[in-house]
Amino acid sequence: MTLDDEITAVKDLVQFARSAAAEHLERATKDLHLGRKALSRYQDFLSVTIDNADSALKHCREAVSSPAALAQASTTIAQGLLAVTRESIRLMYTAMAVIEELAGTGRHLNARQGEIAHVTETAVPRSCSFCGKADTESKLVAGPEANICASCTRLACEVLGIELSASETE
């Protein structure tokens, strides 16, 4: 993958994350019953994460367009910025999962394809949207349109070049 391809891929990741953040903030506002102060902090966190990702991408584009004499250093800087951007987005998704866990009261999320998840009082069996593992087989992160298990999350992180610590791989 060329550096330009990597920048484009991370730009697409940030755009998707921007949409996910907006949807999750709306859900947090309506369904998760966070306090006003917590909701404000969460909104600030999401905004800063996306703004930082946009800023890093801008600096990547500037580094790539620098004179040829600086090409190697610029490439190294751009690759570092892309890694930081991917990590920021990963942390944003981790925060979303934490918010879901903290707001949970034994209720479950239920969503059909293309809809935002809503809280239901009855347990809805969930499975990984990628490999099909049931929530009884593996921990799942439930999203508004899809669910992902721990092993598929690890695989996705590997594909994106995100290194997980030993505690995160368990």
Side-chain angles (χ1 to χ4, degrees):
M1 177 182 274
T2 68
L3 186 56
D4 286 334
D5 291 341
E6 191 173 353
I7 291 171
T8 299
V10 172
K11 179 183 171 199
D12 292 344
L13 174 69
V14 171
Q15 187 58 37
F16 183 82
R18 179 180 285 108
S19 297
E23 286 181 20
H24 198 261
L25 184 60
E26 182 178 330
R27 178 176 149 43
T29 302
K30 291 179 180 177
D31 297 332
L32 298 183
H33 308 292
L34 300 176
R36 192 178 74 210
K37 191 173 184 178
L39 187 61
S40 176
R41 286 182 179 161
Y42 183 55
Q43 182 177 12
D44 290 345
F45 171 76
L46 293 175
S47 295
V48 166
T49 300
I50 296 298
D51 289 348
N52 284 340
D54 285 335
S55 176
L57 284 171
K58 176 184 170 222
H59 290 296
C60 284
R61 285 188 219 100
E62 289 171 1
V64 169
S65 65
S66 64
L70 301 174
Q72 182 57 39
S74 296
T75 298
T76 303
I77 291 168
Q79 288 170 333
L81 287 169
L82 291 172
V84 167
T85 302
R86 284 190 299 267
E87 182 66 12
S88 294
I89 298 302
R90 185 185 76 79
L91 290 172
M92 184 188 79
Y93 280 108
T94 300
M96 288 177 174
V98 168
I99 293 291
E100 291 286 336
E101 287 292 321
L102 292 175
T105 58
R107 296 179 290 180
H108 297 276
L109 299 175
N110 181 22
R112 287 182 285 182
Q113 187 74 19
E115 294 181 347
I116 293 181
H118 298 282
V119 176
T120 60
E121 296 298 329
T122 59
V124 176
R126 296 178 288 177
S127 62
C128 179
S129 302
F130 301 92
C131 71
K133 282 185 188 171
D135 59 355
T136 57
E137 298 175 65
S138 178
K139 290 182 181 179
L140 291 179
V141 175
E145 296 181 25
N147 305 313
I148 188 166
C149 71
S151 57
C152 288
T153 301
R154 281 191 295 278
L155 179 61
C157 288
E158 287 175 25
V159 169
L160 292 173
I162 299 170
E163 292 187 34
L164 299 175
S165 67
S167 64
E168 291 175 313
T169 59
E170 296 174 354

